[in-house]
C-alpha cells in the first residue's frame, strides 16, 4: 500500500491564497472554483468577494476593449486579460460607451430606423434594450453610469449588477440642447430637460467617448477646442474651453482628443500632436489647464522614419492610465506610468476603442 494522500489545505489557507489572485486574472479564480466543491464554496461566498474587493481597492482593472469598426460589421470584444465574456460579438451593433462594468451598444447607422440602445453586462451577459427616448436627433451622445454616480456614494468596484442610468444628450433642430435620463429601476426615460443653450454647431457632439469627472459628464464639441459639461445633479450645461493646441480641430477629419478622468478625479484630456503624446489636466480652480505629461512616441512605437503618418489616439482607459494608439493596422497599448507597450490587435477599419474595466469574481 502506498502512503496515504496528503491532508487538504485548511479552508483558511486556501482563501488566503486565492484572495491574492491578481484582479486582471479572473480566469484563475474560475478554474479554482471548478477544481473542487470546497474551493467553489470558498470563491463564490459573499465573504470572499468582500475580502477580494477590499484587498484590491483602487481603479478596476482593464479586462479588454471593444472595437468600433467601419462598415456594417459586428462589435467585437478583444480581451487584454484572462477574462472572456460569454458573448464576444454583437451583430448589427457598435460600441458607444462603457463604464462601471457595463457597455452601451448602439445600432449600426444602417439600422437608424430603430433607435435601439442596448446596455450589456459582459460578466453576466445580461442585455437590456432601452425604449426610444422622448425626442430624437441625428446628433447625440450617451453615457452609461451606475445609478449612484451623481451623488458619489458608490466606489464602483462591485456595482455592475445594481441599478444604472443612461444619460442622453442631443442637439434638437428646434429645441436646442436637451438631456433626458433612462433609469433601469423605473424602466423609462425622464422628461427632457431643456437647458436653454442654443444649438452650438451642426453635428456639435464629436465621436470621441465622454468622460465622467466630479459628478459631471463631459463631451467634446465637434470641430472646436471646447467641451460640453453636463452636471448630473441638475442636468445644466456649460462649456469648457481647451488650451491652445498645435492641432486644429477645424481640420477634416479633426484630430482626436480623448477626455479622461485623472487619478485625483479631475477632468483631463489627451491628444497626439505629431509623434508626441500630451496629457493635460484641468487646474484646481477649473480656470485653466496644466500640461502634466509628454511622451515621445517615436521611442516607443514601431514608426517608419520614411512615413509621414503619425500614431492615432483611439482610446483612453480612465483611472488605470492606459492609452490605445494605432500605427497602420496595428493597435498598441501604452502604460503611461511604466511606458510599457503591448500590441493588442491587428486589423483594418478600427475607428475607436471602448475600454472595459471591472472587478469580477465567480458567483457574481
Amino acid at each position: 500500500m502506498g502512503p496515504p494522500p496528503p491532508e487538504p489545505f485548511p479552508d483558511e489557507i486556501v482563501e488566503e491564497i486565492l484572495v491574492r489572485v491578481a484582479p486582471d486574472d479572473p480566469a484563475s479564480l474560475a478554474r479554482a472554483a471548478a477544481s473542487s466543491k470546497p474551493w467553489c464554496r470558498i470563491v463564490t461566498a459573499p465573504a470572499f468577494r468582500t475580502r477580494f474587493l477590499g484587498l484590491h481597492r483602487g481603479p478596476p482593472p482593464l479586462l479588454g476593449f471593444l472595437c468600433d469598426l467601419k462598415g456594417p460589421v459586428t462589435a467585437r470584444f478583444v480581451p487584454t486579460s484572462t477574462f472572456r465574456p460569454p458573448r464576444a460579438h454583437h451583430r448589427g451593433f457598435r460600441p458607444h460607451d462603457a463604464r462601471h462594468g457595463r457597455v452601451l451598444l448602439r445600432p449600426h447607422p444602417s439600422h437608424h430606423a430603430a433607435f435601439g440602445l442596448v446596455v450589456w453586462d459582459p460578466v453576466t451577459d445580461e442585455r437590456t434594450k432601452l425604449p426610444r427616448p422622448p425626442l430624437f436627433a441625428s446628433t447625440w451622445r450617451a453615457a452609461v453610469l451606475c445609478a449612484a454616480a451623481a451623488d458619489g456614494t458608490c466606489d464602483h468596484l462591485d456595482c455592475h449588477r445594481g441599478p444604472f442610468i443612461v444619460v442622453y444628450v442631443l442637439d434638437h433642430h428646434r429645441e436646442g440642447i436637451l438631456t433626458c435620463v433612462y433609469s433601469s429601476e423605473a424602466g423609462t426615460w425622464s422628461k427632457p430637460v431643456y437647458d436653454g443653450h442654443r444649438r452650438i454647431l451642426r453635428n456639435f457632439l464629436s465621436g470621441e467617448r465622454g468622460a465622467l469627472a466630479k459628478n459631471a459628464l463631459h463631451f467634446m464639441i465637434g470641430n472646436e477646442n471646447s467641451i460640453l459639461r453636463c452636471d448630473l445633479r441638475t442636468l445644466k450645461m456649460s462649456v469648457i474651453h481647451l488650451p491652445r493646441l498645435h492641432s486644429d480641430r477645424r481640420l477634416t477629419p479633426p484630430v482626436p482628443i480623448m477626455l479622461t478622468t485623472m487619478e485625483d478625479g479631475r477632468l483631463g484630456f489627451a491628444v497626439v500632436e505629431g509623434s508626441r503624446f500630451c496629457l493635460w489636466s484641468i487646474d484646481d480652480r477649473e480656470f485653466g489647464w496644466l500640461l502634466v505629461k509628454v511622451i515621445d512616441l517615436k521611442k516607443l512605437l514601431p514608426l517608419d522614419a520614411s512615413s509621414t503618418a503619425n500614431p492615432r489616439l483611439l482610446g483612453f482607459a480612465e483611472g488605470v492610465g492606459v492609452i490605445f494608439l494605432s500605427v497602420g493596422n496595428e493597435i498598441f497599448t501604452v502604460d503611461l506610468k511604466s511606458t510599457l507597450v503591448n500590441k493588442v490587435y491587428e486589423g483594418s477599419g478600427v475607428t475607436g476603442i471602448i475600454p472595459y474595466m471591472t472587478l469580477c469574481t465567480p458567483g457574481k
Side-chain angles (χ1 to χ4, degrees):
M1 295 181 62
E7 291 291 328
F9 283 118
D11 288 354
E12 295 81 1
I13 300 299
V14 173
E15 181 175 330
E16 289 298 327
I17 295 172
L18 295 180
V19 79
R20 288 168 171 76
V21 170
D24 61 351
D25 186 19
S28 290
L29 288 179
R31 287 192 294 267
S35 65
S36 70
K37 290 183 178 180
W39 286 24
C40 182
R41 286 195 299 269
I42 293 171
V43 173
T44 58
F48 177 87
R49 184 162 64 248
T50 300
R51 284 200 65 198
F52 188 83
L53 295 173
L55 186 63
H56 300 288
R57 300 198 68 84
L62 175 66
L63 299 184
F65 60 93
L66 289 100
C67 287
D68 193 1
L69 301 164
K70 289 182 180 178
V73 294
T74 300
R76 179 185 177 188
F77 183 93
V78 180
T80 57
S81 66
T82 63
F83 174 73
R84 300 294 185 273
R87 183 200 319 245
H89 297 82
H90 297 265
R91 189 172 301 278
F93 284 89
R94 299 176 66 181
H96 188 83
D97 189 44
R99 194 173 287 100
H100 304 156
R102 299 178 183 85
V103 175
L104 184 63
L105 303 168
R106 72 184 191 275
H108 189 271
S110 61
H111 301 86
H112 66 276
F115 182 74
L117 285 177
V118 170
V119 175
W120 173 51
D121 184 337
V123 175
T124 64
D125 201 33
E126 181 180 359
R127 286 166 50 120
T128 303
K129 184 176 180 180
L130 275 56
R132 191 180 180 93
L135 289 175
F136 182 74
S138 59
T139 58
W140 58 273
R141 296 301 290 173
V144 61
L145 308 157
C146 164
D151 55 25
T153 57
C154 181
D155 60 13
H156 308 303
L157 292 177
D158 191 33
C159 62
H160 73 96
R161 296 190 68 174
F164 66 86
I165 60 173
V166 174
V167 179
Y168 173 66
V169 180
L170 70 153
D171 185 15
H172 196 266
H173 67 284
R174 293 193 307 269
E175 307 293 346
I177 302 172
L178 62 88
T179 309
C180 53
V181 179
Y182 174 85
S183 166
S184 65
E185 294 177 292
T188 58
W189 291 95
S190 67
K191 292 183 178 180
V193 174
Y194 301 89
D195 180 72
H197 275 79
R198 296 183 177 181
R199 301 186 71 200
I200 301 174
L201 282 173
R202 179 175 176 82
N203 299 325
F204 83 100
L205 290 174
S206 68
E208 293 100 339
R209 176 171 171 254
L212 174 66
K214 292 194 173 181
N215 302 325
L217 280 170
H218 302 80
F219 301 98
M220 283 300 304
I221 297 176
N223 300 329
E224 282 192 11
N225 284 350
S226 302
I227 299 169
L228 184 70
R229 181 183 186 274
C230 175
D231 189 307
L232 290 176
R233 290 164 294 193
T234 64
L235 299 184
K236 294 295 184 181
M237 300 289 180
S238 58
V239 174
I240 302 172
H241 297 286
L242 297 185
R244 184 179 297 275
L245 302 171
H246 296 298
S247 306
D248 192 343
R249 291 280 293 182
R250 292 169 294 182
L251 297 177
T252 304
V255 175
I257 292 178
M258 296 296 165
L259 303 179
T260 188
T261 309
M262 307 298 287
E263 289 185 0
D264 58 5
R266 288 185 290 176
L267 177 66
F269 75 90
V271 63
V272 172
E273 299 185 311
S275 60
R276 295 195 322 156
F277 168 83
C278 301
L279 179 63
W280 295 76
S281 173
I282 202 163
D283 65 19
D284 292 332
R285 296 180 296 172
E286 299 190 355
F287 291 152
W289 294 89
L290 304 171
L291 180 61
V292 296
K293 186 177 285 290
V294 177
I295 297 177
D296 185 357
L297 298 176
K298 290 185 293 185
K299 299 178 180 179
L300 301 178
L301 299 176
L303 302 180
D304 186 352
S306 63
S307 174
T308 59
N310 292 313
R312 184 171 178 84
L313 184 61
L314 294 177
F316 199 126
E318 54 193 30
V320 298
V322 174
I323 59 173
F324 292 80
L325 297 158
S326 66
V327 179
N329 288 337
E330 298 177 317
I331 296 177
F332 300 87
T333 59
V334 178
D335 186 305
L336 297 182
K337 288 185 177 180
S338 66
T339 66
L340 179 66
V341 177
N342 285 309
K343 179 180 173 181
V344 293
Y345 187 82
E346 184 170 0
S348 61
V350 178
T351 61
I353 294 292
I354 304 294
Y356 177 71
M357 296 169 290
T358 195
L359 266 175
C360 64
T361 61
K364 289 182 72 174

